[in-house]
Amino acid sequence: MSEPKLYPIHNHLKGKTFFTAEKYQRFYNESIENPEAFWAKEACRLDWMQPFTKVKNTSYHKEDFHIRWYEDGTLNACYNCVDRHLKDKGDQVAIFWEGDNPEDSRTITYKELHQEISKFANVLRMHDVHKGDRVTIYLPMIPEAIIAILACARIGAIHSVVFAGFSAESLEGRIFDCDSHFLVTADEGVRGGKKIPLKKNVEEALQGKAAHILKKMIVVKRTGGDIPWQEKRDFWYHEEMDKVAIDCPLEEMGAEDPLFILYTSGSTGKPKGVLHTTGGYLVYAALTHQYVFDYHPGDIYWCTADIGWVTGHTYSIYGPLANGATIVLFEGVPQYPDASRFWKIVDKYKVTIFYTAPTVIRSLMREGTDFVQKTSRASLRILGSVGEPINPEAWEWYYDNVGNGRCPIMDTWWQTETGGILISALPGVTPLKPGSATFPLFGVKPALVNHKGQIIENNSEAEGNLVLLDSWPGQMRTVYGDQERFIKTYFTDFPGMYFSGDGARRDKEGNYWITGRVDDVINVSGHRLGTAEVESALDAHPKVVESAVVGFPHDIKGQGIYAFVTLHKKEPPSESLRKELIDLVRRKIGAIATPDRIQWASGLPKTRSGKIMRRILRKIAANELETLGDISTLADPLVVDDLVKNHKYTVSA
Ligand code: ATP
Ligand code: MG
């Protein structure tokens, strides 16, 4: 591997951030040596109803498996995100809402947010929704989504948010899986100028096995379009909101009472209903939001993630609101009306902290830099990335063009299961290496283990399966209704440890580099190669926008390397380019990583949260076209048809 570039700490940040390198080390050591004391202190950032006397009570061992944090404390998440800010920040903007259409916007103060949430919580209660009930939320990126989520938290109902881009089939499965009797949706959503028939999808979802489960729903009128309607089961949001009182008492929740269920994105198989509880999750969300983004009062914070995935939960809602932040909530897509949209929004609201995903960066990169350069972005201070390893090429584009070389990028590694960020740089602390998530956060004890579960030398260069040796407060507590699957998935391959399913490499300085999912590792003639490494090498070519690499059965090598490559819009594929790419990979990694096949792809199969579904690509590469598996969580199932067609051509060429 060629040596990565190192980006030192920006001078203008020195002395201005929460942490220095020295202070980080001191905090980190303390958090590992004495987690009880560390997490007791950090929990004071929340307001508790009954203070906890126990902090950590966890064991990963089979005989006595349990994960409990702050177990005898009580609190309310909505109170912590909203009510407690009213005294000082009632008139501060909580949400800048930006509609799909640039002319549409709304500003909601903490006081207004509090009123809306209280009313909607009363609507839920009026409809017989109580503590512990599961409420499915199938809403677009409109303020009512946050209102509905926090209203559930207020009364102790468990929300299960289903991304509004998901199909009826995905929705059906999720309603069924968590036995949800109540749903909140909208007539239609609007994204990129197009309408999304949400209510119609709900109706379709209720044709099958979810039909007898769901009893009632509330519908937000977003567009006023024509929709199917069933009296006594369906109620308009605005009509119900007129019927209720403005005050809504808070439910006192145990720290270990469930807060929400969220299904993983399904990149590797059937989505898991990840269950998070109240106290530990919220402590962890608030802490990581504050420290990783160096959040200070006055910052305008924008996380572009949809509320339908975990980043939207932890870093668009719970973390920032627990910290009393002003957030931006955007209904639309980065390319509409044109590819400048994100940067125009940054300028409009003077966003200081901006958090997005590599897939977004690459898609905007594809459109060229003009769209960025015609905006100012002078307000930006900190950038973030999450969802996949970010290839150095995209990292540098983000850093140079979006951040004008002024803003450090926090590449944050975490999972739905982890509740919050586990590995990330910290502003003012960590010199950056493009493509590395760098170091563990407080209380996080990562290790790399071999296939037998033996820890590979503790403090030096290593590569292996990424595990966590101890619990942290934001950790998921179970797979909803399936504790067995929970233990089997995360605690069985390597007993006594949490297994992330990801592979990673640690360099001399201790920086972590996620190499991709362990199931995706390719074994070429006995050499193990992470998909991320080969993809990064391909992506480094100026004509390449992104790529996905998978293994396929190879007579001699065991597995061969099959690369799907997407080129910049104006670049035609050619034989000479194919050769250039192969040379590039050989140069950057070595001959062992030489792709056996390169297939040009106009698009890659991605989940709705923008992750590449390599399991589908593996099937295509192996020519197993009849058994592609579950593609219901794909953003655009049509790309698969295209890939299948081109596969035939690639193989015969
Ligand atoms: P499923 O578990 O259903 O297959 P998923 O793993 O895609 O879905 P998420 O929990 O949304 O669902 O994604 C977490 C995964 O995303 C991580 O395990 C890792 O593979 C990848 N990931 C997230 N952030 C980063 C990052 N900064 N660098 C590298 N990989 C990342
Ligand atoms: Mg996963």
Side-chain angles (χ1 to χ4, degrees):
M1 276 293 272
S2 46
E3 260 310 295
K5 227 159 129 183
L6 186 75
Y7 289 74
I9 296 158
H10 297 73
N11 278 326
H12 67 92
L13 288 178
K14 287 186 181 155
K16 300 224 172 92
T17 53
F18 282 117
F19 289 96
T20 56
E22 183 275 321
K23 188 174 166 196
Y24 158 79
Q25 206 54 56
R26 189 156 40 82
F27 264 59
Y28 182 75
N29 293 347
E30 189 187 314
S31 74
I32 297 298
E33 284 154 21
N34 195 350
E36 296 267 341
F38 180 86
W39 289 113
K41 197 173 64 200
E42 284 296 340
C44 296
R45 58 176 62 244
L46 298 187
D47 287 4
W48 296 80
M49 291 170 159
Q50 282 297 327
F52 52 86
T53 63
K54 293 185 198 150
V55 179
K56 178 172 187 285
N57 182 4
T58 65
S59 159
Y60 285 173
H61 290 282
K62 254 209 175 113
E63 312 72 55
D64 176 35
F65 185 92
H66 61 277
I67 301 171
R68 294 195 283 273
W69 285 87
Y70 312 114
E71 58 190 297
D72 58 351
T74 65
L75 75 168
N76 184 282
C78 177
Y79 178 85
N80 275 284
C81 289
V82 185
D83 299 48
R84 67 165 170 162
H85 304 313
L86 295 179
K87 196 156 62 75
D88 303 328
K89 296 182 171 165
D91 295 323
Q92 181 199 304
V93 174
I95 305 173
F96 281 122
W97 178 74
E98 168 86 2
D100 183 61
N101 178 332
E103 323 255 274
D104 273 356
S105 63
R106 258 170 90 182
T107 297
I108 299 170
T109 63
Y110 270 99
K111 204 153 84 198
E112 289 161 344
L113 183 62
H114 177 254
Q115 274 178 15
E116 297 300 298
I117 292 168
S118 302
K119 277 164 62 184
F120 194 62
N122 281 331
V123 169
L124 292 174
R125 278 192 174 140
M126 180 170 80
H127 284 280
D128 235 13
V129 178
H130 300 290
K131 181 173 174 176
D133 291 348
R134 277 80 52 217
V135 174
T136 301
I137 295 176
Y138 186 60
L139 282 172
M141 293 284 279
I142 54 178
E144 288 77 3
I146 296 183
I147 292 165
I149 285 170
L150 291 175
C152 286
R154 192 169 189 88
I155 65 166
I158 306 168
H159 55 78
S160 164
V161 179
V162 178
F163 175 52
F166 274 150
S167 62
E169 191 186 333
S170 310
L171 177 63
E172 174 188 356
R174 286 159 171 77
I175 294 172
F176 184 79
D177 188 80
C178 69
D179 190 32
S180 165
H181 299 192
F182 201 88
L183 178 138
V184 189
T185 189
D187 51 359
E188 295 174 309
V190 192
R191 265 164 73 88
K194 293 195 202 83
K195 293 192 175 141
I196 300 149
L198 298 178
K199 178 67 165 70
K200 204 168 132 258
N201 287 350
V202 173
E203 220 56 55
E204 216 181 299
L206 297 184
Q207 296 310 303
K209 60 187 178 184
H212 302 293
I213 292 179
L214 199 93
K215 304 282 185 280
K216 279 185 182 178
M217 71 181 94
I218 302 277
V219 184
V220 178
K221 190 177 256 181
R222 170 67 188 94
T223 64
D226 262 351
I227 52 169
W229 195 263
Q230 193 176 311
E231 292 299 332
K232 295 212 172 80
R233 187 200 61 186
D234 305 348
F235 300 86
W236 283 113
Y237 180 92
H238 58 276
E239 289 178 2
E240 299 308 285
M241 289 288 266
D242 279 345
K243 297 178 189 162
V244 294
I246 222 168
D247 293 317
C248 174
L250 294 147
E251 193 74 41
E252 182 171 352
M253 303 297 287
E256 284 299 341
D257 282 337
L259 180 61
F260 65 84
I261 299 165
L262 183 64
Y263 291 84
T264 56
S265 57
S267 318
T268 54
K270 182 177 174 276
K272 302 169 270 282
V274 168
L275 182 95
H276 282 287
T277 56
T278 310
Y281 170 80
L282 200 59
V283 169
Y284 201 73
L287 172 145
T288 48
H289 170 258
Q290 184 189 18
Y291 292 163
V292 171
F293 301 108
D294 195 50
Y295 168 78
H296 285 83
D299 271 319
I300 306 292
Y301 169 87
W302 183 20
C303 164
T304 69
D306 196 279
I307 52 139
W309 66 300
V310 74
T311 308
H313 282 55
T314 308
Y315 298 109
S316 297
I317 305 179
Y318 285 112
L321 295 184
N323 290 331
T326 296
I327 65 166
V328 174
L329 182 74
F330 174 43
E331 184 180 37
V333 296
Q335 292 87 352
Y336 179 82
D338 65 39
S340 274
R341 187 66 189 280
F342 267 14
W343 323 126
K344 285 183 181 148
I345 296 175
V346 166
D347 287 349
K348 179 168 172 187
Y349 299 104
K350 303 275 178 288
V351 171
T352 57
I353 304 170
F354 177 77
Y355 190 26
T356 195
T359 178
V360 171
I361 298 300
R362 287 192 298 263
S363 72
L364 291 174
M365 218 168 118
R366 205 177 177 190
E367 308 284 341
T369 54
D370 290 358
F371 288 108
V372 191
Q373 293 313 333
K374 63 184 181 203
T375 61
S376 153
R377 291 156 287 100
S379 56
L380 289 174
R381 197 163 63 80
I382 309 281
L383 303 174
S385 170
V386 60
E388 286 175 282
I390 180 165
N391 53 299
E393 209 49 25
W395 194 102
E396 272 157 18
W397 188 88
Y398 190 22
Y399 183 83
D400 292 339
N401 292 289
V402 178
N404 279 354
R406 270 184 303 108
C407 311
I409 299 176
M410 302 302 118
D411 177 0
T412 62
W413 176 80
W414 61 296
Q415 313 177 293
T416 312
E417 295 89 334
T418 69
I421 300 165
L422 296 191
I423 301 182
S424 171
L426 292 180
V429 172
T430 328
L432 306 170
K433 292 184 182 180
S436 170
T438 75
F439 297 101
L441 292 184
F442 308 115
V444 175
K445 237 171 131 174
L448 300 174
V449 299
N450 64 18
H451 67 280
K452 290 189 195 139
Q454 293 157 330
I455 296 177
I456 313 172
E457 298 166 72
N458 218 349
N459 277 315
S460 57
E461 275 179 280
E463 180 157 359
N465 300 296
L466 178 58
V467 298
L468 296 149
L469 300 179
D470 201 357
S471 180
W472 63 98
Q475 178 166 33
M476 77 185 278
R477 299 301 194 259
T478 191
V479 172
Y480 187 77
D482 199 346
Q483 177 72 358
E484 212 174 299
R485 187 174 180 203
F486 179 50
I487 308 246
K488 186 163 181 309
T489 310
Y490 307 101
F491 302 94
T492 302
D493 288 353
F494 309 120
M497 308 169 186
Y498 169 85
F499 177 37
S500 66
D502 288 343
R505 190 162 63 76
R506 194 175 47 228
D507 66 19
K508 293 200 278 301
E509 285 84 34
N511 292 282
Y512 281 86
W513 301 75
I514 310 300
T515 49
R517 296 162 201 270
V518 172
D519 295 346
D520 294 337
V521 165
I522 309 170
N523 197 325
V524 185
S525 312
H527 296 267
R528 294 163 63 78
L529 287 168
T531 48
E533 269 178 304
V534 188
E535 287 160 10
S536 271
L538 288 165
D539 296 351
H541 194 287
K543 292 183 180 168
V544 173
V545 174
E546 60 182 350
S547 60
V549 164
V550 295
F552 71 102
H554 190 287
D555 288 346
I556 300 155
K557 304 184 196 175
Q559 273 189 311
I561 297 179
Y562 196 115
F564 295 82
V565 174
T566 305
L567 299 175
H568 275 274
K569 271 195 172 150
K570 293 178 205 110
E571 303 295 346
S574 69
E575 206 33 51
S576 61
L577 182 56
R578 188 192 304 269
K579 292 210 177 80
E580 274 176 46
L581 290 178
I582 289 175
D583 279 352
L584 185 63
V585 176
R586 293 173 76 104
R587 219 168 49 238
K588 285 198 166 265
I589 308 178
I592 189 72
T594 310
D596 297 273
R597 281 183 184 148
I598 290 181
Q599 173 172 338
W600 308 116
S602 56
L604 296 170
K606 290 189 184 164
T607 64
R608 285 289 181 172
S609 52
K611 289 158 197 278
I612 296 166
M613 268 206 216
R614 286 190 190 70
R615 63 182 162 88
I616 292 177
L617 296 175
R618 264 199 300 270
K619 292 278 185 186
I620 295 175
N623 207 19
E624 292 168 15
L625 306 176
E626 312 306 320
T627 53
L628 294 179
D630 181 10
I631 58 169
S632 66
T633 65
L634 272 184
D636 178 9
L638 288 181
V639 299
V640 176
D641 298 345
D642 243 34
L643 288 169
V644 167
K645 248 184 268 153
N646 279 323
H647 164 72
K648 291 187 181 127
Y649 174 76
T650 304
V651 174
S652 62

